Amino acid sequence: QVQLVESGGGLVLAGDSLRLSCVASGRALKEYSMAWFRQRPGKGREFAAGIKWSGDITQYADSVKGRFTISRDDAKNTVYLQMNSLKTEDTAVYYCAADVGWGLEIVEEDYEYWGQGTQVTVSS
């Protein structure tokens, strides 16, 4: 099992950048595929970005593609979400999640370990 803690959220202006971090403990991060999900106000939780356990494959939701970058540093047991050109629509609670496998389609149900989330608010 692995415990996940997100950080780096905050209040920013549209067009700004923000970097989220997710630190794993209990187990080595390298054992897991990692993903970021988000829940926007009044909406359900949705996939944003994912990275395979091997680090060589990433996947992004269309809504964030070209603006967000997911990366991992297994030596630091940390996964990152670099968010650029932020829009008000990106306002959400962002959750880090871990999965022991990897599939062509990243679905919330496959991820067994979750952080508590970090709030990102983008104002215009």
Side-chain angles (χ1 to χ4, degrees), residues 47-68:
F47 166 74
I51 185 167
K52 191 178 179 180
W53 55 266
S54 54
D56 58 335
I57 300 176
T58 58
Q59 187 171 323
Y60 298 93
D62 289 341
S63 58
V64 308
K65 192 174 299 181
R67 299 187 298 116
F68 290 11

Side-chain angles (χ1 to χ4, degrees), residues 2 4 29 32-35 96-100 110-115:
V2 61
L4 306 173
L29 187 72
Y32 301 93
S33 295
M34 304 296 297
C96 178
D99 181 26
V100 297
D110 289 339
Y111 284 77
E112 53 189 310
Y113 303 109
W114 292 80

Side-chain angles (χ1 to χ4, degrees), residues 1-5 22-29 32 76-78:
Q1 60 182 8
V2 61
Q3 295 79 47
L4 306 173
V5 179
C22 173
V23 179
S25 61
R27 300 291 297 275
L29 187 72
Y32 301 93
K76 297 181 179 179
N77 266 6
T78 303

Side-chain angles (χ1 to χ4, degrees), residues 16 18 37 41 43 68 72 77 82-83 98 100 102-104 108 116:
D16 284 353
L18 205 59
F37 294 81
K43 296 179 170 57
F68 290 11
R72 62 192 299 152
N77 266 6
Q82 178 67 46
M83 304 183 294
V100 297
W102 178 263
L104 295 176
E108 181 178 345
Q116 295 302 305

